[in-house]
Amino acid sequence: MGARFPFSAVVGHDDLRTALLLNAVHPGIGGVLVRGEKGTAKSTVVRALAALLPELDVVPGCRFGCDPAAPADCPDGPHGPGVERRPARLVELPVGATEDRLIGSLDLERALTEGVRAYQPGLLAAAHRGVLYVDEVNLLHDHLVDLLLDAAAMGRAHVEREGVSVSHAASFLLVGTMNPEEGELRPQLLDRFGLTVSVRASRDVATRTEVVRRRLAYEADPEGFAARWEAEDAALAARIVVARSRLASVALPDAELRRIAGICAAFEVDGMRADLVVARTATAHAAWRGADEVAEQDVEAAVRLALPHRKRRDPFDEPGLEEEQLDDALRQGEEAARETGDDPDGPDDGGPDGDGPDGGGPDGGGSEPPDGPLGSTSDTDAPGGAGSPERTHAPAPAFRARLLQVPGVGEGAPGRRSRARARTGRVVRPSTVDGSGLHLIGTLAAAAPHQAGRGRTGPGLELRGEDLRRSVREGREGNLVLFAVDASGSMAARQRMSAVSGAVISLLRDAYQRRDKVGVVTFRGREAVVALPPTNSVDAAAARLRALRTGGRTPLADGLLRARRVLEVERVRDPRRRPLLVLLTDGRATASGTGGDPVRDALRAAALLASDGVASVVVDCESGHVRLGLAARVAGALEAACLRLEELSADQVAGVVRAARAA
């Protein structure tokens, strides 16, 4: 294996390099999340960082890398004398890692052969005092992300499982990388990362030329290329050591502490984690530049790295800081820094919760379009002929969505919606034919009655192949949620379409939190179109729906058939991910691509989806005092549950229910 690409040789990405170096100086900052498009050297920079970290003194033979000068409460202790020196480790956590691999588990070999309970450390132990790198962290199971973030925040890992109770030191520099096109992290998890940096390829020709030149030179001679940058990397490594040594002596004046509090208050961040991270980052920045106390420039540098992802309260908010917003916050921080008293509180208006100032409200039941369009207009086919305006509608405020599930038990695509067999999750039973991992209790119970007959006289158990039992685990899976949205003229009344758009946005937020893949099919006029092919980026789906145009006839059959084709393709592409079709319509079918009866064609298309075994939910968007119940007929043909629009709100339904059709 050749030398790693040198840290100093990376072109650009100044914010990323600064964030990584500050975390190397002060691991208590809480790690770095690197967001960026593919091919932007995210992994290259992170792997290069490990070579800059100083070598470690460790206890010889300790599996947890304990420091001889400050021995912790170690499962391998008490330790004897002696010191061993080794480089800091870069430990990579793969996307497919299990909980056992991350936090460790019972040492099965010793348990089965010696009859003792012994702990086998995981990757958290291996990463102690080094770097834990998680590529594609947004694709990692949520419960694994929670575990590693807890360990990073506390500096210790706690294991309570399979009769093992262990606590060990786990202090590491956590770095996660992700491509936002493949889905976002939940805001709750984003907040747990100390700093975040967005990287993108430069559009400057000279910069791009230099990137290619250096990469080709490295590939031609890795060792020689690394040697040319050795002095620069050595200088950075030495600077990290010096900054670490002076970190404890850097003062944080009260004026700068008030500045930090004023800025975080101006951003209306939730909780106090942001204030603490900014304070630690500013202190590390001051130590990095050799100062004795934190100054305004340190706070501003920290704010730019620590606050962008904490502004993102709603899943569909854009991450990042606008310069105007940052300038306003810095001005408020300046005012707070000048205060001489210790009463920095001001009015707490709560602020928006990510939903924005969208108008609308519950469906008021109107059936006629309002005077004047909400968006741009043009002529298209209307229910009664040509000439009706085409409209866009602002969504009504979003709400907490009711849980819609696919019935039965799936194969376990990562997620949090429907029941599934999985490699992680709770153990429901032992099995001899399927399962994941060894079911220890079941194996021992199967072997125990046969020990006398097998002639066992000493300690331990004699095991045979027929004794082995596997753990059948049940967890939650993500699904493909395909929205089929009726955008015809009969849906175009202002309150109705705004309510429909608000409901779909609410369901999309729920899909985001449950790690679903989503797609959108819309139908109006003469045909149905795939507005968004199935993707993990639900914010892209939200953007398409906010720009949804309405008007024209209702080709309901074409919409259902187009949805069926999308699901057929996805069944081949991603067979483990079970689909859930959510059809939002008033049930009025007024057009058909075949030229036949629109209603009969729509019911036939619905029956085809039902014969495919597609779990479906029909959301009846009909309003007004007189209701025709047409959506219920479509639901019957789909063998689907039929919900009223207002029944999608979890706050209006007691408990969490299954709304998909019965298995």
Side-chain angles (χ1 to χ4, degrees):
M1 179 179 178
R4 285 198 179 104
F5 194 92
F7 192 87
S8 302
V10 174
V11 180
H13 296 334
D14 293 339
D15 285 347
L16 172 56
R17 293 194 292 173
T18 298
L20 292 173
L21 290 170
L22 293 181
N23 266 267
V25 172
H26 193 340
I29 288 172
V32 182
L33 175 65
V34 188
R35 300 163 45 89
E37 57 197 13
K38 52 188 175 293
T40 50
K42 300 187 296 293
S43 301
T44 299
V45 181
V46 174
R47 293 189 174 102
L49 174 70
L52 301 183
L53 299 181
E55 290 190 335
L56 306 174
D57 290 335
V58 298
V59 174
C62 177
R63 297 176 297 168
F64 301 88
C66 283
D67 184 353
D73 182 14
C74 177
D76 282 358
H79 297 302
V83 177
E84 182 177 288
R85 198 160 183 80
R86 65 166 172 80
R89 291 173 178 164
L90 173 70
V91 176
E92 298 193 34
L93 178 66
V95 171
T98 63
E99 185 176 343
D100 290 350
R101 188 73 185 99
L102 178 64
I103 65 173
S105 62
L106 183 69
D107 190 328
L108 291 177
E109 182 178 354
R110 294 189 62 188
L112 296 177
T113 59
E114 302 175 26
V116 298
R117 288 185 298 186
Y119 174 64
Q120 180 66 40
L123 293 177
L124 291 181
H128 179 47
R129 306 173 67 198
V131 179
L132 180 59
Y133 172 46
V134 188
D135 194 15
E136 307 293 355
V137 66
N138 52 325
L139 303 182
L140 198 65
H141 278 280
D142 280 358
H143 77 284
L144 294 182
V145 178
D146 285 326
L147 285 172
L148 67 90
L149 288 174
D150 282 340
M154 296 186 297
R156 294 194 70 81
H158 300 277
V159 183
E160 299 282 349
R161 56 182 307 164
E162 296 168 340
V164 174
S165 178
V166 173
S167 175
H168 65 82
S171 177
F172 49 82
L173 197 168
L174 174 65
V175 184
T177 58
M178 60 174 283
N179 183 349
E181 294 177 357
E182 297 172 343
E184 290 281 359
L185 278 174
R186 292 183 288 128
Q188 296 88 338
L189 295 179
L190 279 173
D191 182 59
R192 302 287 295 280
F193 279 93
L195 309 179
T196 187
V197 179
S198 294
V199 296
R200 56 184 57 85
S202 173
R203 300 300 183 256
D204 178 67
V205 173
T207 301
R208 297 175 74 96
T209 302
E210 185 61 21
V211 169
V212 175
R213 181 182 293 117
R214 292 189 187 182
R215 186 66 199 186
L216 293 177
Y218 168 75
E219 291 174 355
D221 181 11
E223 301 291 343
F225 184 83
R228 290 198 293 274
W229 293 90
E230 186 175 357
E232 287 84 349
D233 271 10
L236 283 176
R239 193 173 173 184
I240 290 174
V241 174
V242 172
R244 281 185 175 183
S245 66
R246 70 180 303 130
L247 182 65
S249 63
V250 173
L252 177 59
D254 283 348
E256 298 309 318
L257 188 55
R258 287 194 297 271
R259 187 192 306 276
I260 292 170
I263 292 172
C264 291
F267 271 101
E268 298 178 334
V269 295
D270 295 328
M272 297 299 298
R273 183 176 285 121
D275 303 62
L276 291 169
V277 170
V278 172
R280 290 168 182 156
T281 307
T283 304
H285 192 270
W288 178 254
R289 63 185 182 87
D292 294 326
E293 67 176 27
V294 173
E296 180 181 356
Q297 67 184 86
D298 303 310
V299 174
E300 183 173 347
V303 164
R304 291 182 180 276
L305 296 172
L307 293 189
H309 57 305
R310 293 185 168 89
K311 182 178 76 75
R312 194 168 192 259
R313 297 184 173 195
D314 187 271
F316 307 129
D317 287 344
E318 287 294 325
L321 292 178
E322 297 178 0
E323 285 300 320
E324 182 179 352
Q325 183 184 21
L326 178 61
D327 291 342
D328 289 342
L330 291 174
R331 278 195 295 271
Q332 294 191 39
E334 179 66 28
E335 294 172 2
R338 290 177 183 153
E339 292 178 1
T340 56
D342 56 357
D343 182 20
D345 49 303
D348 183 6
D349 1 338
D353 194 23
D355 295 332
D358 295 337
D363 191 347
S367 59
E368 295 295 325
D371 293 334
L374 293 178
S376 59
T377 62
S378 62
D379 290 342
T380 186
D381 290 337
S388 178
E390 178 186 272
R391 308 175 186 274
T392 58
H393 302 263
F399 50 79
R400 185 168 64 92
R402 174 179 182 168
L403 174 60
L404 308 178
Q405 289 182 300
V406 178
V409 181
E411 294 300 318
R416 302 173 59 242
R417 179 174 297 276
S418 305
R419 293 173 55 207
R421 289 179 293 273
R423 295 179 61 189
T424 59
R426 65 187 181 93
V427 178
V428 293
R429 60 183 174 85
S431 172
T432 58
V433 294
D434 58 3
S436 175
L438 184 66
H439 192 289
L440 179 60
I441 302 302
T443 298
L444 297 179
H450 306 292
Q451 296 306 299
R454 294 173 183 175
R456 183 183 66 84
T457 57
L461 294 176
E462 181 179 335
L463 298 177
R464 297 182 180 175
E466 62 267 22
D467 301 327
L468 295 180
R469 299 293 185 271
R470 296 182 179 273
S471 296
V472 177
R473 298 178 181 270
E474 185 173 294
R476 292 284 172 178
E477 68 175 1
N479 298 112
L480 166 60
V481 182
L482 182 63
F483 294 94
V485 183
D486 184 346
S488 63
S490 64
M491 297 278 288
R494 175 187 296 221
Q495 288 184 327
R496 186 189 307 178
M497 201 61 212
S498 292
V500 169
S501 300
V504 178
I505 294 295
S506 302
L507 291 169
L508 279 171
R509 179 188 285 114
D510 183 66
Y512 167 93
Q513 294 169 339
R514 300 186 188 282
R515 305 287 290 275
D516 293 319
K517 201 172 183 179
V518 297
V520 180
V521 171
T522 64
F523 49 95
R524 68 184 183 93
R526 296 184 176 87
E527 63 178 357
V529 297
V530 180
L532 183 74
T535 175
N536 291 104
S537 182
V538 295
D539 49 349
R544 299 291 176 90
L545 284 164
R546 286 193 176 104
L548 181 64
R549 310 180 80 82
T550 62
R553 298 182 182 275
T554 311
L556 179 55
D558 290 350
L560 293 172
L561 291 175
R562 178 60 63 94
R564 184 178 184 231
R565 287 194 292 273
V566 171
L567 295 177
E568 286 175 345
V569 171
E570 284 300 308
R571 191 176 295 118
V572 175
R573 181 178 297 162
D574 194 357
R576 294 176 61 228
R577 191 176 292 272
R578 295 188 295 160
L580 174 65
L581 174 66
V582 180
L583 172 65
L584 295 100
T585 182
D586 58 9
R588 293 181 176 139
T590 59
S592 174
T594 65
D597 181 83
V599 175
R600 185 166 55 248
D601 288 349
L603 295 178
R604 286 175 177 171
L608 286 174
L609 280 162
S611 67
D612 291 340
V614 175
S616 306
V617 175
V618 175
V619 180
D620 186 355
C621 301
E622 191 175 28
S623 59
H625 298 294
V626 178
R627 296 174 182 263
L628 301 179
L630 300 177
R633 291 185 62 191
V634 178
L638 277 171
E639 300 178 20
C642 185
L643 304 177
R644 297 272 296 277
L645 192 60
E646 57 270 21
E647 292 176 332
L648 288 177
S649 171
D651 295 331
Q652 297 187 28
V653 179
V656 177
V657 299
R658 288 176 175 80
R661 64 176 177 82

